[in-house]
Amino acid sequence: MILRSATLLLLLSFPAVAAEAVSGPATVIDGDTIELHGSRIRLYGIDAPETAQNCENAAGHAYPCGRDAAHALAEQIGSNPVTCEPLKAPKSERVVAVCRVGHEDLSAWMAAHGHAVADRRTSATYVRQESKAWAMRRGLWAGIFVDPADWRRTSRRSEATAKPPAQD
């Protein structure tokens, strides 16, 4: 009985692995999220700047790097169908997947062109592509940027402190 309970607990602690790939026209939500057949899918292994995030270019001028990342992903996809192989369903309801246009891995393309960073919290899969973008000073690496995860944390803190106190 204890062995069965321990086995069940162990199985439940692993993320669910989705069985089937999905394909079709995609809508870009941001630089690392698409919508396919009404479901939001996060691109596996990368973290792109948020839509509201700005960065600095090599000349020190601010530019909308979050919107640029989303536009770059949309241009790479074009009108082509996207095929996503779901890996897991995280705590949120968004699916995480490796998505491709033809044979092109979209996460690898985004990291290699400097539109996203490798998400080392989930995998080292795209570190090589990120390093290539860094070495060539492509995209984000051509200037100065705040890591997207750090930007989100700072943004959340700013929003929390900006809220007026509750009235009694």
Side-chain angles (χ1 to χ4, degrees):
M1 177 72 168
I2 293 174
L3 182 59
R4 253 194 264 161
S5 297
T7 303
L8 181 60
L9 183 60
L10 185 62
L11 288 172
L12 291 174
S13 67
F14 285 105
V17 176
E20 294 184 34
V22 292
S23 292
T27 302
V28 172
I29 304 301
D30 62 25
D32 56 20
T33 309
I34 62 172
E35 188 170 293
L36 190 59
H37 299 298
S39 296
R40 291 229 171 158
I41 299 173
R42 179 150 165 58
L43 299 180
Y44 172 75
I46 62 167
D47 196 6
E50 295 301 313
T51 304
Q53 187 173 345
N54 288 315
C55 300
E56 286 185 22
N57 63 20
H61 296 69
Y63 75 98
C65 56
R67 283 189 286 160
D68 283 3
H71 288 297
L73 180 58
E75 285 184 16
Q76 181 62 13
I77 293 171
S79 61
N80 298 303
V82 175
T83 300
C84 294
E85 299 166 19
L87 300 175
K88 61 182 179 177
K91 291 176 186 172
S92 68
E93 293 193 14
R94 230 182 318 177
V95 172
V96 175
V98 173
C99 297
R100 293 182 172 81
V101 169
H103 295 292
E104 183 80 51
D105 179 333
L106 293 172
S107 294
W109 187 89
M110 290 293 286
H113 286 82
H115 299 298
V117 297
D119 187 356
R120 289 166 172 80
R121 295 167 299 158
T122 58
S123 170
T125 304
Y126 301 108
V127 170
R128 184 175 52 81
Q129 290 86 348
E130 177 191 282
S131 296
K132 179 180 170 186
W134 175 82
M136 298 179 76
R137 300 294 185 250
R138 287 178 140 178
L140 297 169
W141 303 105
I144 299 170
F145 68 96
V146 175
D147 183 270
D150 293 337
W151 188 89
R152 284 189 299 275
R153 270 191 295 279
T154 302
S155 179
R156 281 188 211 116
R157 275 191 222 121
S158 296
E159 288 173 6
T161 58
K163 289 182 182 174
Q167 298 291 322
D168 290 332

